[in-house]
Amino acid sequence: GAGVSQSPSNKVTEKGKDVELRCDPISGHTALYWYRQSLGQGLEFLIYFQGNSAPDKSGLPSDRFSAERTGGSVSTLTIQRTQQEDSAVYLCASSLATGTYEQYFGPGTRLTVT
Amino acid sequence: GENVEQHPSTLSVQEGDSAVIKCTYSDSASNYFPWYKQELGKRPQLIIDIRSNVGEKKDQRIAVTLNKTAKHFSLHITETQPEDSAVYFCAAESNNDMRFGAGTRLTVKP
């Protein structure tokens, strides 16, 4: 079956511009996570959504980052006024629910801010 | 919140040897500990997990141990093969919040 998909796969943007990254989770998965992975680094938690509950935004690095999940399915991560330090791979994952369920990762979006 | 530390950051072993990666966590309420493998340029994938009600779990050449008292857990890979070369991430879940370690880059030399 279809896995988690993300778009675009690559995004190059100029410093100061806004970008939107999209994640399509596996159908039926109620939990959705966003992570950031800088080159050669670990997975930095950004935000997660569980069903219709308010998202846990505790990992967002600044107020330039925001995310929404419409209809409990597709999610969009928005970065406003991008900075060079935002350059990284942004990974989305989904699971049946939060907690003790395997997370299935998407292929990621490689963001480069020039 | 939960804090997960992972060691070593890099590990190089000879094919056939064993590899051990260790993680510690801070939140005693954590009850689920998955391990993910990320091959170069690919997405992380779950390889094994353990819940807090058991101390050890094994799947072929891979095993994970958990010490809840000491708040640490380890990944053991025996008879390593070149295809085991990847970055391995541990994670700990607490109150529906999953936090990952920084990763270990394992290189298996043929």
Side-chain angles (χ1 to χ4, degrees), chain A residues 39-103:
Chain A
L39 187 62
Q41 300 299 310
L43 293 163
E44 177 187 4
F45 166 79
L46 297 177
I47 188 171
Y48 82 80
F49 298 86
Q50 170 56 50
N52 296 321
S53 302
D56 176 355
K57 304 179 181 181
S58 60
L60 294 177
S62 78
D63 58 9
R64 296 186 295 105
F65 288 72
S66 64
E68 62 178 23
R69 189 178 184 193
T70 53
S73 181
V74 172
S75 177
T76 302
L77 177 70
T78 301
I79 309 173
Q80 296 178 310
R81 305 181 302 281
T82 52
Q83 304 294 314
Q84 288 186 331
E85 58 263 30
D86 298 336
S87 296
V89 174
Y90 289 81
L91 288 161
C92 171
S94 73
S95 66
L96 281 172
T98 54
T100 61
Y101 291 94
E102 176 179 357
Q103 293 186 22

Short mmCIF file of all heavy atoms in Angstrom, two decimals, chain A residues 39-103:
data_model
loop_
_atom_site.label_atom_id
_atom_site.label_comp_id
_atom_site.label_asym_id
_atom_site.label_seq_id
_atom_site.Cartn_x
_atom_site.Cartn_y
_atom_site.Cartn_z
N LEU A 39 22.41 17.99 8.17
CA LEU A 39 23.37 17.10 7.54
C LEU A 39 24.18 16.34 8.59
O LEU A 39 24.84 16.94 9.44
CB LEU A 39 24.30 17.89 6.62
CG LEU A 39 25.26 17.05 5.77
CD1 LEU A 39 24.48 16.15 4.84
CD2 LEU A 39 26.21 17.94 5.00
N GLY A 40 24.09 15.02 8.54
CA GLY A 40 24.85 14.19 9.44
C GLY A 40 24.41 14.24 10.89
O GLY A 40 25.11 13.72 11.76
N GLN A 41 23.27 14.82 11.14
CA GLN A 41 22.79 14.96 12.51
C GLN A 41 21.61 14.04 12.79
O GLN A 41 21.14 13.31 11.92
CB GLN A 41 22.38 16.41 12.77
CG GLN A 41 23.50 17.41 12.59
CD GLN A 41 24.66 17.15 13.53
OE1 GLN A 41 24.46 17.00 14.75
NE2 GLN A 41 25.87 17.06 13.00
N GLY A 42 21.14 14.09 14.03
CA GLY A 42 20.03 13.25 14.44
C GLY A 42 18.69 13.85 14.05
O GLY A 42 18.60 14.83 13.31
N LEU A 43 17.66 13.24 14.55
CA LEU A 43 16.29 13.66 14.25
C LEU A 43 15.82 14.62 15.33
O LEU A 43 15.70 14.26 16.49
CB LEU A 43 15.37 12.43 14.20
CG LEU A 43 15.63 11.47 13.05
CD1 LEU A 43 14.97 10.14 13.32
CD2 LEU A 43 15.12 12.06 11.75
N GLU A 44 15.54 15.84 14.91
CA GLU A 44 15.07 16.86 15.84
C GLU A 44 13.55 16.94 15.75
O GLU A 44 13.01 17.29 14.70
CB GLU A 44 15.70 18.20 15.50
CG GLU A 44 15.23 19.35 16.37
CD GLU A 44 15.74 20.69 15.88
OE1 GLU A 44 16.40 20.74 14.82
OE2 GLU A 44 15.46 21.70 16.54
N PHE A 45 12.88 16.64 16.84
CA PHE A 45 11.42 16.70 16.87
C PHE A 45 10.94 18.14 16.72
O PHE A 45 11.45 19.04 17.38
CB PHE A 45 10.92 16.10 18.18
CG PHE A 45 9.48 16.39 18.47
CD1 PHE A 45 8.48 15.66 17.85
CD2 PHE A 45 9.11 17.39 19.36
CE1 PHE A 45 7.15 15.92 18.12
CE2 PHE A 45 7.79 17.65 19.64
CZ PHE A 45 6.80 16.92 19.01
N LEU A 46 9.95 18.34 15.88
CA LEU A 46 9.39 19.68 15.69
C LEU A 46 7.98 19.79 16.26
O LEU A 46 7.69 20.66 17.08
CB LEU A 46 9.37 20.04 14.20
CG LEU A 46 10.73 20.13 13.49
CD1 LEU A 46 10.55 20.43 12.02
CD2 LEU A 46 11.62 21.17 14.16
N ILE A 47 7.08 18.91 15.79
CA ILE A 47 5.67 19.03 16.16
C ILE A 47 4.97 17.71 15.87
O ILE A 47 5.40 16.96 14.97
CB ILE A 47 4.99 20.18 15.39
CG1 ILE A 47 3.58 20.46 15.89
CG2 ILE A 47 4.99 19.90 13.89
CD1 ILE A 47 2.96 21.73 15.29
N TYR A 48 3.92 17.41 16.63
CA TYR A 48 3.11 16.27 16.24
C TYR A 48 1.63 16.58 16.43
O TYR A 48 1.24 17.40 17.25
CB TYR A 48 3.52 14.98 16.95
CG TYR A 48 2.98 14.77 18.34
CD1 TYR A 48 1.68 14.30 18.57
CD2 TYR A 48 3.79 14.98 19.44
CE1 TYR A 48 1.21 14.09 19.85
CE2 TYR A 48 3.32 14.76 20.72
CZ TYR A 48 2.02 14.32 20.93
OH TYR A 48 1.56 14.10 22.20
N PHE A 49 0.84 15.88 15.65
CA PHE A 49 -0.62 15.97 15.67
C PHE A 49 -1.18 14.60 16.01
O PHE A 49 -0.73 13.58 15.51
CB PHE A 49 -1.16 16.37 14.28
CG PHE A 49 -0.70 17.70 13.79
CD1 PHE A 49 0.51 17.82 13.11
CD2 PHE A 49 -1.46 18.84 13.99
CE1 PHE A 49 0.93 19.04 12.65
CE2 PHE A 49 -1.05 20.06 13.52
CZ PHE A 49 0.16 20.17 12.84
N GLN A 50 -2.21 14.60 16.86
CA GLN A 50 -2.91 13.36 17.18
C GLN A 50 -4.40 13.63 17.00
O GLN A 50 -5.00 14.35 17.80
CB GLN A 50 -2.61 12.92 18.60
CG GLN A 50 -3.48 11.78 19.10
CD GLN A 50 -3.43 10.54 18.23
OE1 GLN A 50 -2.36 10.05 17.87
NE2 GLN A 50 -4.59 10.03 17.85
N GLY A 51 -4.96 13.06 15.95
CA GLY A 51 -6.38 13.22 15.68
C GLY A 51 -6.75 14.69 15.60
O GLY A 51 -6.11 15.48 14.92
N ASN A 52 -7.79 15.05 16.32
CA ASN A 52 -8.26 16.44 16.32
C ASN A 52 -7.76 17.23 17.51
O ASN A 52 -8.20 18.37 17.74
CB ASN A 52 -9.79 16.46 16.29
CG ASN A 52 -10.35 15.87 15.02
OD1 ASN A 52 -9.81 16.08 13.93
ND2 ASN A 52 -11.41 15.08 15.14
N SER A 53 -6.86 16.63 18.27
CA SER A 53 -6.35 17.32 19.46
C SER A 53 -5.40 18.45 19.05
O SER A 53 -4.84 18.44 17.94
CB SER A 53 -5.59 16.34 20.36
OG SER A 53 -6.42 15.27 20.74
N ALA A 54 -5.24 19.40 19.94
CA ALA A 54 -4.30 20.50 19.68
C ALA A 54 -2.90 19.91 19.54
O ALA A 54 -2.50 19.04 20.32
CB ALA A 54 -4.34 21.50 20.82
N PRO A 55 -2.14 20.37 18.57
CA PRO A 55 -0.82 19.80 18.34
C PRO A 55 0.17 20.16 19.44
O PRO A 55 0.04 21.18 20.10
CB PRO A 55 -0.39 20.42 17.01
CG PRO A 55 -1.16 21.70 16.93
CD PRO A 55 -2.46 21.42 17.58
N ASP A 56 1.15 19.28 19.61
CA ASP A 56 2.25 19.55 20.52
C ASP A 56 3.32 20.30 19.75
O ASP A 56 4.01 19.73 18.92
CB ASP A 56 2.80 18.22 21.06
CG ASP A 56 4.02 18.40 21.96
OD1 ASP A 56 4.51 19.55 22.10
OD2 ASP A 56 4.50 17.41 22.52
N LYS A 57 3.45 21.59 20.03
CA LYS A 57 4.36 22.45 19.27
C LYS A 57 5.68 22.68 20.00
O LYS A 57 6.45 23.58 19.63
CB LYS A 57 3.71 23.82 19.02
CG LYS A 57 2.38 23.76 18.30
CD LYS A 57 1.81 25.16 18.12
CE LYS A 57 0.47 25.13 17.43
NZ LYS A 57 -0.09 26.49 17.23
N SER A 58 5.94 21.86 21.01
CA SER A 58 7.06 22.15 21.89
C SER A 58 8.41 22.12 21.21
O SER A 58 9.37 22.71 21.71
CB SER A 58 7.06 21.16 23.06
OG SER A 58 7.18 19.83 22.58
N GLY A 59 8.51 21.45 20.06
CA GLY A 59 9.79 21.35 19.39
C GLY A 59 10.06 22.41 18.34
O GLY A 59 11.17 22.48 17.81
N LEU A 60 9.08 23.23 18.05
CA LEU A 60 9.31 24.23 17.00
C LEU A 60 10.40 25.20 17.44
O LEU A 60 10.33 25.78 18.52
CB LEU A 60 8.01 24.99 16.70
CG LEU A 60 6.89 24.16 16.08
CD1 LEU A 60 5.65 25.00 15.89
CD2 LEU A 60 7.33 23.56 14.75
N PRO A 61 11.43 25.41 16.58
CA PRO A 61 12.59 26.18 17.00
C PRO A 61 12.35 27.68 17.12
O PRO A 61 13.09 28.36 17.83
CB PRO A 61 13.63 25.87 15.93
CG PRO A 61 12.84 25.45 14.74
CD PRO A 61 11.61 24.80 15.25
N SER A 62 11.36 28.19 16.43
CA SER A 62 11.07 29.62 16.52
C SER A 62 9.66 29.87 16.03
O SER A 62 9.01 28.97 15.47
CB SER A 62 12.08 30.43 15.68
OG SER A 62 11.74 30.37 14.30
N ASP A 63 9.19 31.11 16.20
CA ASP A 63 7.83 31.43 15.76
C ASP A 63 7.74 31.57 14.24
O ASP A 63 6.66 31.83 13.71
CB ASP A 63 7.30 32.68 16.46
CG ASP A 63 8.19 33.90 16.23
OD1 ASP A 63 9.11 33.83 15.40
OD2 ASP A 63 7.95 34.92 16.89
N ARG A 64 8.86 31.40 13.55
CA ARG A 64 8.80 31.40 12.09
C ARG A 64 8.26 30.06 11.57
O ARG A 64 7.88 29.95 10.41
CB ARG A 64 10.19 31.65 11.50
CG ARG A 64 10.78 33.01 11.82
CD ARG A 64 12.08 33.23 11.08
NE ARG A 64 13.14 32.31 11.49
CZ ARG A 64 13.56 31.28 10.78
NH1 ARG A 64 13.01 31.01 9.59
NH2 ARG A 64 14.54 30.51 11.23
N PHE A 65 8.24 29.07 12.43
CA PHE A 65 7.78 27.73 12.05
C PHE A 65 6.34 27.54 12.52
O PHE A 65 6.01 27.86 13.67
CB PHE A 65 8.64 26.65 12.71
CG PHE A 65 10.02 26.53 12.12
CD1 PHE A 65 10.98 27.50 12.34
CD2 PHE A 65 10.36 25.42 11.36
CE1 PHE A 65 12.26 27.38 11.80
CE2 PHE A 65 11.63 25.28 10.82
CZ PHE A 65 12.58 26.27 11.04
N SER A 66 5.52 27.00 11.65
CA SER A 66 4.16 26.66 12.01
C SER A 66 3.73 25.45 11.20
O SER A 66 4.33 25.14 10.16
CB SER A 66 3.21 27.83 11.77
OG SER A 66 3.16 28.14 10.39
N ALA A 67 2.73 24.77 11.68
CA ALA A 67 2.23 23.60 10.95
C ALA A 67 0.75 23.47 11.19
O ALA A 67 0.23 23.88 12.23
CB ALA A 67 2.95 22.33 11.39
N GLU A 68 0.09 22.91 10.21
CA GLU A 68 -1.33 22.63 10.36
C GLU A 68 -1.64 21.30 9.72
O GLU A 68 -0.89 20.79 8.88
CB GLU A 68 -2.19 23.73 9.76
CG GLU A 68 -2.02 23.95 8.26
CD GLU A 68 -2.94 25.03 7.74
OE1 GLU A 68 -3.38 25.88 8.52
OE2 GLU A 68 -3.24 25.02 6.54
N ARG A 69 -2.74 20.76 10.15
CA ARG A 69 -3.18 19.48 9.61
C ARG A 69 -4.67 19.60 9.35
O ARG A 69 -5.46 19.72 10.29
CB ARG A 69 -2.90 18.34 10.58
CG ARG A 69 -3.15 16.98 9.97
CD ARG A 69 -2.81 15.87 10.92
NE ARG A 69 -2.98 14.58 10.27
CZ ARG A 69 -3.00 13.42 10.90
NH1 ARG A 69 -2.87 13.38 12.23
NH2 ARG A 69 -3.14 12.30 10.23
N THR A 70 -5.02 19.58 8.09
CA THR A 70 -6.41 19.80 7.72
C THR A 70 -7.15 18.48 7.61
O THR A 70 -6.66 17.53 6.98
CB THR A 70 -6.49 20.55 6.38
OG1 THR A 70 -5.71 19.84 5.41
CG2 THR A 70 -5.92 21.95 6.52
N GLY A 71 -8.32 18.44 8.22
CA GLY A 71 -9.16 17.25 8.11
C GLY A 71 -8.54 16.00 8.68
O GLY A 71 -8.94 14.89 8.33
N GLY A 72 -7.56 16.17 9.54
CA GLY A 72 -6.92 15.02 10.17
C GLY A 72 -6.09 14.19 9.23
O GLY A 72 -5.73 13.05 9.54
N SER A 73 -5.73 14.75 8.06
CA SER A 73 -4.95 13.97 7.11
C SER A 73 -3.69 14.73 6.71
O SER A 73 -2.71 14.72 7.45
CB SER A 73 -5.80 13.62 5.90
OG SER A 73 -5.05 12.85 4.97
N VAL A 74 -3.73 15.43 5.59
CA VAL A 74 -2.56 16.11 5.06
C VAL A 74 -2.08 17.20 6.03
O VAL A 74 -2.88 17.87 6.68
CB VAL A 74 -2.91 16.74 3.70
CG1 VAL A 74 -1.78 17.63 3.21
CG2 VAL A 74 -3.24 15.66 2.69
N SER A 75 -0.76 17.33 6.11
CA SER A 75 -0.18 18.36 6.96
C SER A 75 0.75 19.23 6.14
O SER A 75 1.39 18.76 5.19
CB SER A 75 0.59 17.72 8.12
OG SER A 75 1.22 18.72 8.91
N THR A 76 0.81 20.50 6.53
CA THR A 76 1.71 21.45 5.89
C THR A 76 2.58 22.09 6.96
O THR A 76 2.06 22.58 7.97
CB THR A 76 0.93 22.54 5.15
OG1 THR A 76 0.08 21.94 4.18
CG2 THR A 76 1.88 23.50 4.46
N LEU A 77 3.88 22.07 6.74
CA LEU A 77 4.83 22.76 7.61
C LEU A 77 5.26 24.03 6.88
O LEU A 77 5.71 23.96 5.73
CB LEU A 77 6.04 21.87 7.89
CG LEU A 77 7.16 22.50 8.74
CD1 LEU A 77 6.71 22.69 10.18
CD2 LEU A 77 8.42 21.62 8.70
N THR A 78 5.08 25.15 7.52
CA THR A 78 5.42 26.43 6.91
C THR A 78 6.57 27.07 7.65
O THR A 78 6.57 27.12 8.88
CB THR A 78 4.21 27.38 6.93
OG1 THR A 78 3.12 26.76 6.20
CG2 THR A 78 4.55 28.71 6.26
N ILE A 79 7.53 27.52 6.90
CA ILE A 79 8.66 28.26 7.48
C ILE A 79 8.64 29.65 6.85
O ILE A 79 8.76 29.80 5.64
CB ILE A 79 10.01 27.58 7.21
CG1 ILE A 79 9.96 26.10 7.61
CG2 ILE A 79 11.12 28.30 7.98
CD1 ILE A 79 11.21 25.32 7.22
N GLN A 80 8.48 30.64 7.69
CA GLN A 80 8.45 32.02 7.20
C GLN A 80 9.83 32.65 7.31
O GLN A 80 10.63 32.31 8.19
CB GLN A 80 7.45 32.83 8.03
CG GLN A 80 6.01 32.36 7.89
CD GLN A 80 5.06 33.14 8.77
OE1 GLN A 80 5.31 33.32 9.96
NE2 GLN A 80 3.99 33.63 8.19
N ARG A 81 10.09 33.55 6.41
CA ARG A 81 11.36 34.33 6.43
C ARG A 81 12.54 33.39 6.64
O ARG A 81 13.31 33.52 7.60
CB ARG A 81 11.29 35.39 7.53
CG ARG A 81 10.09 36.31 7.41
CD ARG A 81 10.07 37.36 8.52
NE ARG A 81 10.07 36.81 9.84
CZ ARG A 81 9.01 36.31 10.46
NH1 ARG A 81 7.84 36.29 9.84
NH2 ARG A 81 9.10 35.84 11.69
N THR A 82 12.70 32.46 5.74
CA THR A 82 13.71 31.41 5.91
C THR A 82 15.10 31.98 6.13
O THR A 82 15.47 33.03 5.58
CB THR A 82 13.73 30.47 4.70
OG1 THR A 82 13.86 31.26 3.51
CG2 THR A 82 12.48 29.61 4.63
N GLN A 83 15.86 31.25 6.93
CA GLN A 83 17.26 31.58 7.23
C GLN A 83 18.13 30.41 6.75
O GLN A 83 17.66 29.28 6.59
CB GLN A 83 17.45 31.79 8.72
CG GLN A 83 16.54 32.85 9.31
CD GLN A 83 16.85 34.23 8.79
OE1 GLN A 83 18.02 34.63 8.74
NE2 GLN A 83 15.83 34.98 8.38
N GLN A 84 19.41 30.70 6.58
CA GLN A 84 20.31 29.64 6.10
C GLN A 84 20.36 28.47 7.06
O GLN A 84 20.50 27.32 6.63
CB GLN A 84 21.70 30.21 5.85
CG GLN A 84 21.76 31.10 4.60
CD GLN A 84 23.16 31.55 4.27
OE1 GLN A 84 24.00 31.67 5.15
NE2 GLN A 84 23.42 31.79 2.99
N GLU A 85 20.22 28.73 8.35
CA GLU A 85 20.27 27.62 9.31
C GLU A 85 19.04 26.72 9.24
O GLU A 85 19.00 25.67 9.90
CB GLU A 85 20.43 28.15 10.75
CG GLU A 85 19.36 29.09 11.20
CD GLU A 85 19.74 30.56 11.04
OE1 GLU A 85 20.53 30.87 10.12
OE2 GLU A 85 19.26 31.37 11.84
N ASP A 86 18.03 27.14 8.47
CA ASP A 86 16.86 26.28 8.27
C ASP A 86 17.15 25.16 7.26
O ASP A 86 16.35 24.23 7.12
CB ASP A 86 15.67 27.10 7.76
CG ASP A 86 15.23 28.17 8.74
OD1 ASP A 86 15.50 28.02 9.96
OD2 ASP A 86 14.64 29.17 8.29
N SER A 87 18.26 25.25 6.57
CA SER A 87 18.61 24.23 5.57
C SER A 87 18.77 22.88 6.26
O SER A 87 19.54 22.74 7.21
CB SER A 87 19.91 24.60 4.85
OG SER A 87 19.77 25.79 4.13
N ALA A 88 18.02 21.91 5.79
CA ALA A 88 18.00 20.58 6.42
C ALA A 88 17.05 19.70 5.61
O ALA A 88 16.41 20.16 4.67
CB ALA A 88 17.52 20.67 7.86
N VAL A 89 16.98 18.45 6.01
CA VAL A 89 15.94 17.56 5.48
C VAL A 89 14.80 17.54 6.49
O VAL A 89 15.03 17.32 7.68
CB VAL A 89 16.47 16.13 5.25
CG1 VAL A 89 15.33 15.20 4.84
CG2 VAL A 89 17.56 16.15 4.19
N TYR A 90 13.62 17.79 6.02
CA TYR A 90 12.44 17.78 6.88
C TYR A 90 11.69 16.48 6.63
O TYR A 90 11.23 16.21 5.53
CB TYR A 90 11.57 19.00 6.61
CG TYR A 90 12.24 20.26 7.12
CD1 TYR A 90 13.23 20.90 6.35
CD2 TYR A 90 11.94 20.78 8.38
CE1 TYR A 90 13.89 22.03 6.83
CE2 TYR A 90 12.60 21.91 8.86
CZ TYR A 90 13.57 22.52 8.09
OH TYR A 90 14.23 23.63 8.57
N LEU A 91 11.59 15.68 7.69
CA LEU A 91 10.96 14.37 7.60
C LEU A 91 9.61 14.39 8.29
O LEU A 91 9.45 14.95 9.36
CB LEU A 91 11.84 13.31 8.27
CG LEU A 91 13.12 12.92 7.53
CD1 LEU A 91 14.09 12.24 8.47
CD2 LEU A 91 12.80 11.99 6.37
N CYS A 92 8.68 13.75 7.65
CA CYS A 92 7.35 13.57 8.21
C CYS A 92 7.18 12.08 8.51
O CYS A 92 7.71 11.22 7.78
CB CYS A 92 6.33 14.04 7.20
SG CYS A 92 4.62 13.67 7.61
N ALA A 93 6.47 11.76 9.56
CA ALA A 93 6.17 10.37 9.89
C ALA A 93 4.74 10.27 10.36
O ALA A 93 4.18 11.24 10.90
CB ALA A 93 7.13 9.85 10.97
N SER A 94 4.15 9.11 10.17
CA SER A 94 2.80 8.90 10.70
C SER A 94 2.74 7.55 11.41
O SER A 94 3.55 6.67 11.16
CB SER A 94 1.74 8.97 9.59
OG SER A 94 1.77 7.82 8.74
N SER A 95 1.80 7.44 12.31
CA SER A 95 1.57 6.17 13.01
C SER A 95 0.09 6.04 13.32
O SER A 95 -0.66 7.01 13.25
CB SER A 95 2.41 6.09 14.29
OG SER A 95 1.99 7.05 15.23
N LEU A 96 -0.31 4.82 13.68
CA LEU A 96 -1.73 4.59 13.96
C LEU A 96 -2.23 5.52 15.04
O LEU A 96 -3.36 5.98 15.01
CB LEU A 96 -1.93 3.13 14.38
CG LEU A 96 -1.96 2.12 13.25
CD1 LEU A 96 -1.96 0.69 13.80
CD2 LEU A 96 -3.18 2.32 12.36
N ALA A 97 -1.38 5.78 16.03
CA ALA A 97 -1.70 6.72 17.10
C ALA A 97 -0.38 7.12 17.72
O ALA A 97 0.66 6.54 17.40
CB ALA A 97 -2.62 6.07 18.14
N THR A 98 -0.42 8.09 18.59
CA THR A 98 0.82 8.44 19.29
C THR A 98 1.12 7.36 20.33
O THR A 98 0.26 6.56 20.67
CB THR A 98 0.72 9.79 19.98
OG1 THR A 98 -0.42 9.78 20.84
CG2 THR A 98 0.60 10.91 18.99
N GLY A 99 2.33 7.40 20.79
CA GLY A 99 2.72 6.43 21.79
C GLY A 99 3.37 5.21 21.20
O GLY A 99 4.18 5.30 20.31
N THR A 100 2.99 4.05 21.64
CA THR A 100 3.74 2.84 21.33
C THR A 100 3.37 2.23 19.99
O THR A 100 3.04 1.06 19.89
CB THR A 100 3.53 1.81 22.45
OG1 THR A 100 2.13 1.52 22.52
CG2 THR A 100 3.98 2.36 23.79
N TYR A 101 3.43 3.03 18.96
CA TYR A 101 3.17 2.56 17.61
C TYR A 101 4.33 2.96 16.71
O TYR A 101 4.88 4.04 16.83
CB TYR A 101 1.88 3.16 17.05
CG TYR A 101 0.64 2.65 17.73
CD1 TYR A 101 0.08 3.34 18.79
CD2 TYR A 101 0.03 1.47 17.31
CE1 TYR A 101 -1.06 2.87 19.42
CE2 TYR A 101 -1.11 1.00 17.93
CZ TYR A 101 -1.65 1.71 18.98
OH TYR A 101 -2.78 1.24 19.60
N GLU A 102 4.66 2.06 15.80
CA GLU A 102 5.74 2.33 14.87
C GLU A 102 5.44 3.56 14.04
O GLU A 102 4.31 3.77 13.58
CB GLU A 102 5.95 1.14 13.94
CG GLU A 102 7.02 1.37 12.86
CD GLU A 102 7.21 0.16 11.98
OE1 GLU A 102 6.57 -0.87 12.21
OE2 GLU A 102 8.02 0.27 11.03
N GLN A 103 6.45 4.38 13.88
CA GLN A 103 6.32 5.54 13.01
C GLN A 103 6.86 5.17 11.63
O GLN A 103 7.94 4.60 11.50
CB GLN A 103 7.11 6.73 13.58
CG GLN A 103 6.52 7.25 14.89
CD GLN A 103 7.20 8.50 15.36
OE1 GLN A 103 7.82 9.23 14.60
NE2 GLN A 103 7.08 8.77 16.65
#
